[in-house]
Amino acid sequence: MADREDSVAIPEFSFLLQMDPYLKPYEKDFKRRYELLQKQLVRLEETEGGFDQFTSSYKNFGVHRQPDNSLLFLEWAPAAEALFLTGDFNDWEKFSYPYTKKEFGKWELILPAKHDGTPAVGHNTRLKVVVHTKEGGRLYRISPWAKYVNREEKSIVYDWVHWDPPQPYTQIHPRPKKPTSLRIYEAHVGIASPEGKVASYTNFTTNVLPRIKDLGYNCIQLMAIMEHAYYASFGYQVTSFFAASSRYGTPEELKRMIDAAHSMGIVVLLDVVHSHASKNTEDGLNCFDGSDSCFFHSPPRGEHKLWGSRLFNYSSWEVQRFLLSNLRWWMEEYCFDGFRFDGITSMLYHHHGIGTGFSGDYSEYFGLQVDEDSLVYLMLANHILHTLYPDCITVAEDVSGMPALCRGVEEGGLGFDYRLAMAIPDKWIQILKESKDEDWDMGDIVHTLTNRRYGEKCIAYAESHDQALVGDKSLAFWLMDKEMYTNMSSLIPMTAVIDRGMQLHKMIRLLTHALGGEGYLNFIGNEFGHPEWLDFPREGNNQSYHYARRQFNLLETDHLRYHQLYAFDRDMNRTEDQYGWLAAQPGFVSAKHGEDKVIVFDRGHVVFIFNFHPSKSFQDYRVAVEAPGSHLKEHTSVCRTCQVTSR
């Protein structure tokens, strides 16, 4: 940690401007952002004793057992008239345990231990906060800081459950070092089983982690961990920010799962949602204190009209305490290694990206349309995370192309390590939907794969969960469609559709892996060409789990060709691990031949040759390389064809 928390390095705007002189007119904007960050750090030092203490507020808020087994309850409810605690421990008597009002909208309650010295509220006890509003209303709420919530089988609303196990899980294995080449396996615990049900943390530990390790991925990105009442929201309508989803198991089982991943040398990222929150009231943050604001802006600013969710007030001191402490909680309590920040385009702009097309003109990224409160919050989050945890990894999901998103805060950047290259999967789906094989444009493909800001790392991917959701389908299903039901067996002759589909599936993924970024991402199951699409149980599909699962059983049948795709994905990652092209400089493209449908480039001392022509093969094909020398064949896969050579 730096000697002083209230400062960052001397600003280095000149370096950023040297990389991109077109940013020169906006130098004052970068300086202003940096100054706002500095101002906030100074305020934290003066009022809270620094950001370390401020972001450790999860140790005080909610409920905590004290050394004498008394329980301290602390909440922030500025608009409330009174707060009471009720639950199983007092037979749901509503008014017997009132909170005491403190300054700045805080409320405190101390429950002494019982006569026998045990806590007044035991482990696994259901609780509610009773909120009396200034208008005379009575509300039953879950603590925003609740660390565990669940619901009874026939109930719709979640309950706050006091989680204080007698033998909490303690991590055994240290965090792995930050990988130089990031190969991400994006996963959802609930769908990680062939069975038509919600899968568990224990299932993931036992059955999925070994597959990820075998495939050569060194990072897992976990979706839908933060508790969300609506399963079909895919985890993006969060109701309890500090609670790991109980539908997959207990907090201790999640800790054990992450520890097991660390034992395999795999880092684990949390898909964190700080861009918005569920509008649920009884089991969410919405209207916690009876007001239409509290954690959020008042409507209409505090409502996302497309997502139907609430938008945080990032200028609020207590909201910053809540969200920044939330990041610390996941890092400290569960030993996550970093975060993918979801939906930050909505955070960065007052228009939230709604009805806005980003052309790349720099004027779109500066000025009054930028929400400086949320932008500075993201700078602050990245600065704190990278100061306290030097190996922490942060990934931004942004569709706008905000300049300096992945540059250090000392440059006026937002401080992320990587951004998702979201145009790449869209391009592949567009090609498969709209273009005949003979019409594929090699120049357009190369442009999409290489069109990224110099000095800002990107995560490339051919498809993620977005491409597989209902209304779309997996890359393999776009390529082979209904023939995947009947013609994937090696016991019958390979059809033209399956032959084309399997080869293009391999080529698309390898080309994306090698040329598209400084990291690579695969969504669970797509490594072996998972068929169909994703659809969670909901009213529209009669609550079916049929499409909310991953059919790993397809790999267990030897004669099905899925294992060939799995083996290719594994070998692709292992080859990258050997040569490290993701950590190398961007690829040098020497050919993107439109008529021959050939792409040639070298990166990381490896030469890649792709022939996308649907009917022509080439012999003695002359290619240029960046550096002279002998080139030995390392791996050749006849897939229309792609060839990898090392020198």
Side-chain angles (χ1 to χ4, degrees):
M1 189 185 300
D3 291 337
R4 283 183 57 84
E5 291 182 355
D6 62 341
S7 65
V8 293
I10 297 173
E12 299 176 357
F13 307 116
S14 59
F15 181 72
L16 182 64
L17 300 180
Q18 287 172 10
M19 290 201 310
D20 189 347
Y22 292 102
L23 289 174
K24 180 65 177 176
Y26 305 101
E27 182 176 5
K28 65 180 185 302
D29 295 273
F30 288 111
K31 288 183 177 179
R32 173 174 170 78
R33 294 171 182 180
Y34 176 82
E35 289 167 358
L36 288 171
L37 171 66
Q38 283 285 74
K39 181 179 178 181
Q40 191 68 355
L41 289 169
V42 170
R43 288 181 64 203
L44 285 171
E45 186 71 29
E46 293 175 348
T47 61
E48 300 281 348
F51 61 69
D52 188 9
Q53 187 167 327
F54 184 65
T55 59
S56 298
S57 295
Y58 63 86
K59 297 177 181 178
N60 302 315
F61 281 78
V63 54
H64 294 276
R65 178 161 50 87
Q66 304 303 299
D68 63 356
N69 274 348
S70 64
L71 295 173
L72 173 65
F73 293 81
L74 182 64
E75 301 294 347
W76 178 65
E81 184 69 21
L83 260 63
F84 300 86
L85 182 71
T86 186
D88 290 332
F89 75 102
N90 71 342
D91 295 324
W92 296 96
E93 166 57 44
K94 301 176 183 63
F95 310 122
S96 57
Y97 291 100
Y99 285 69
T100 301
K101 189 172 185 178
K102 300 292 185 179
E103 58 182 354
F104 307 121
K106 298 183 177 72
W107 298 82
E108 182 182 87
L109 169 63
I110 298 175
L111 286 185
K114 295 179 182 178
H115 293 303
D116 62 2
T118 59
V121 178
H123 171 59
N124 235 5
T125 299
R126 291 184 301 156
L127 299 167
K128 287 280 188 182
V129 178
V130 183
V131 180
H132 279 221
T133 68
K134 289 182 170 61
E135 295 75 26
R138 184 187 304 164
L139 310 173
Y140 295 87
R141 295 289 186 255
I142 288 176
S143 169
W145 301 78
K147 298 173 177 62
Y148 185 64
V149 299
N150 65 18
R151 64 181 174 190
E152 296 179 347
E153 186 174 348
K154 295 183 180 180
S155 176
I156 297 175
V157 177
Y158 276 75
D159 289 315
W160 173 20
V161 177
H162 178 47
W163 190 259
D164 187 18
Q167 294 181 322
Y169 184 81
T170 302
Q171 279 83 2
I172 301 170
H173 303 282
R175 301 178 192 269
K177 291 291 184 182
K178 181 192 295 188
T180 53
S181 293
L182 198 62
R183 302 183 296 274
I184 302 174
Y185 194 87
E186 183 186 32
H188 185 294
V189 171
I191 68 171
S193 165
E195 300 180 61
K197 64 177 185 180
V198 178
S200 67
Y201 297 125
T202 299
N203 166 75
F204 199 94
T205 302
T206 304
N207 298 317
V208 183
L209 283 182
R211 295 184 190 273
I212 297 172
K213 175 66 174 176
D214 179 61
L215 283 162
Y217 291 96
N218 54 22
C219 176
I220 299 170
Q221 179 180 297
L222 285 178
M223 309 173 61
I225 295 298
M226 302 168 76
E227 189 62 271
H228 48 292
Y230 185 42
Y231 189 42
S233 73
F234 223 142
Y236 293 122
Q237 294 273 345
V238 175
T239 45
S240 291
F241 282 72
F242 287 81
S245 182
S246 60
R247 55 172 54 89
Y248 317 129
T250 69
E252 311 313 302
E253 289 165 343
L254 174 58
K255 294 173 189 176
R256 187 177 293 109
M257 185 183 98
I258 294 171
D259 198 22
H262 286 169
S263 74
M264 300 176 182
I266 299 172
V267 298
V268 185
L269 308 184
L270 175 69
D271 198 344
V272 71
V273 185
H274 281 184
S275 50
H276 65 129
S278 168
K279 64 181 179 181
N280 286 20
T281 54
E282 289 193 55
D283 54 10
L285 294 182
N286 193 17
C287 302
F288 172 69
D289 63 355
S291 72
D292 63 1
S293 53
C294 196
F295 289 93
F296 311 106
H297 289 291
S298 296
R301 185 180 178 185
E303 294 178 336
H304 197 293
K305 61 184 181 181
L306 290 186
W307 294 346
S309 54
R310 298 304 310 270
L311 299 175
F312 288 105
N313 178 2
Y314 301 100
S315 65
S316 165
W317 192 259
E318 294 303 324
V319 171
Q320 290 184 29
R321 182 195 305 278
F322 180 80
L323 294 175
L324 292 170
S325 295
N326 187 235
L327 298 174
R328 288 291 305 277
W329 164 256
W330 292 109
M331 293 291 289
E332 292 287 341
E333 184 71 11
Y334 289 92
C335 290
F336 278 95
D337 302 289
F339 303 94
R340 171 208 186 258
F341 282 75
D342 178 70
I344 70 164
T345 306
S346 174
M347 298 174 65
L348 292 174
Y349 308 97
H350 290 295
H351 53 63
H352 308 300
I354 299 173
T356 303
F358 292 95
S359 66
D361 189 294
Y362 280 173
S363 64
E364 297 168 347
Y365 307 117
F366 304 95
L368 295 178
Q369 65 265 36
V370 175
D371 188 335
E372 286 190 334
D373 292 336
S374 57
L375 185 144
V376 173
Y377 164 72
L378 291 170
M379 295 175 71
L380 187 60
N382 275 304
H383 171 63
I384 292 171
L385 287 170
H386 289 108
T387 301
L388 295 175
Y389 313 98
D391 280 345
C392 178
I393 300 168
T394 59
V395 181
E397 189 215 26
D398 170 44
V399 299
S400 74
M402 169 69 79
L405 187 72
C406 298
R407 299 300 302 179
V409 295
E410 68 277 3
E411 299 176 16
L414 273 72
F416 286 97
D417 295 293
Y418 297 89
R419 69 196 315 155
L420 292 174
M422 302 180 73
I424 296 175
D426 291 342
K427 174 58 65 176
W428 286 124
I429 295 296
Q430 178 192 27
I431 290 172
L432 295 179
K433 283 182 178 179
E434 301 175 4
S435 300
K436 298 178 181 178
D437 288 5
E438 56 268 25
D439 295 331
W440 284 28
D441 186 334
M442 299 297 104
D444 185 39
I445 292 171
V446 168
H447 173 75
T448 302
L449 289 167
T450 57
N451 182 28
R452 55 188 184 272
R453 296 188 59 79
Y454 180 78
E456 298 194 42
K457 295 179 181 179
C458 287
I459 303 293
Y461 55 107
E463 54 183 333
S464 72
H465 66 272
D466 288 325
Q467 285 67 44
L469 287 170
V470 64
D472 214 323
K473 48 191 177 183
S474 69
L475 198 64
F477 214 58
W478 273 113
L479 288 163
M480 295 174 276
D481 206 65
K482 61 184 179 182
E483 288 209 18
M484 296 190 78
Y485 296 125
T486 56
N487 296 328
M488 286 296 283
S489 173
S490 59
L491 301 179
I492 61 175
M494 181 181 285
T495 66
V497 169
I498 298 298
D499 185 26
R500 169 187 178 271
M502 290 188 64
Q503 311 317 334
L504 284 177
H505 190 271
K506 297 174 185 176
M507 293 179 70
I508 287 170
R509 294 168 71 82
L510 178 59
L511 180 57
T512 302
H513 200 305
L515 190 59
E518 290 69 39
Y520 177 76
L521 179 144
N522 165 71
F523 179 65
I524 181 172
N526 290 345
E527 69 274 6
F528 63 85
H530 201 285
E532 301 173 327
W533 52 87
L534 275 172
D535 190 13
F536 283 78
R538 53 189 174 85
E539 288 185 8
N541 65 9
N542 295 318
Q543 303 298 330
S544 172
Y545 285 86
H546 180 74
Y547 296 109
R549 60 195 179 109
R550 298 281 89 179
Q551 300 180 54
F552 291 116
N553 54 297
L554 296 173
L555 290 171
E556 296 165 4
T557 307
D558 291 340
H559 67 82
L560 294 182
R561 303 184 195 274
Y562 294 100
H563 72 85
Q564 298 172 20
L565 297 176
Y566 177 99
F568 183 89
D569 198 81
R570 178 193 63 209
D571 293 346
M572 177 175 67
N573 283 322
R574 291 181 179 181
T575 305
E576 195 288 326
D577 189 55
Q578 182 178 357
Y579 292 102
W581 58 71
L582 288 172
Q585 290 296 308
F588 172 76
V589 181
S590 59
K592 41 187 175 181
H593 200 292
E595 184 177 344
D596 291 347
K597 307 298 182 194
V598 169
I599 296 172
V600 182
F601 63 94
D602 54 315
R603 187 181 185 191
H605 305 292
V606 180
V607 178
F608 297 85
I609 306 169
F610 291 84
N611 173 19
F612 280 97
H613 202 288
S615 59
K616 286 186 180 179
S617 295
F618 303 97
Q619 291 184 342
D620 300 323
Y621 200 88
R622 293 176 63 86
V623 300
V625 294
E626 187 176 22
S630 61
H631 294 73
L632 301 176
K633 185 182 297 183
E634 166 64 25
H635 174 75
T636 302
S637 178
V638 182
C639 47
R640 278 200 172 199
T641 43
C642 62
Q643 189 167 9
V644 184
T645 64
S646 65
R647 68 169 182 269

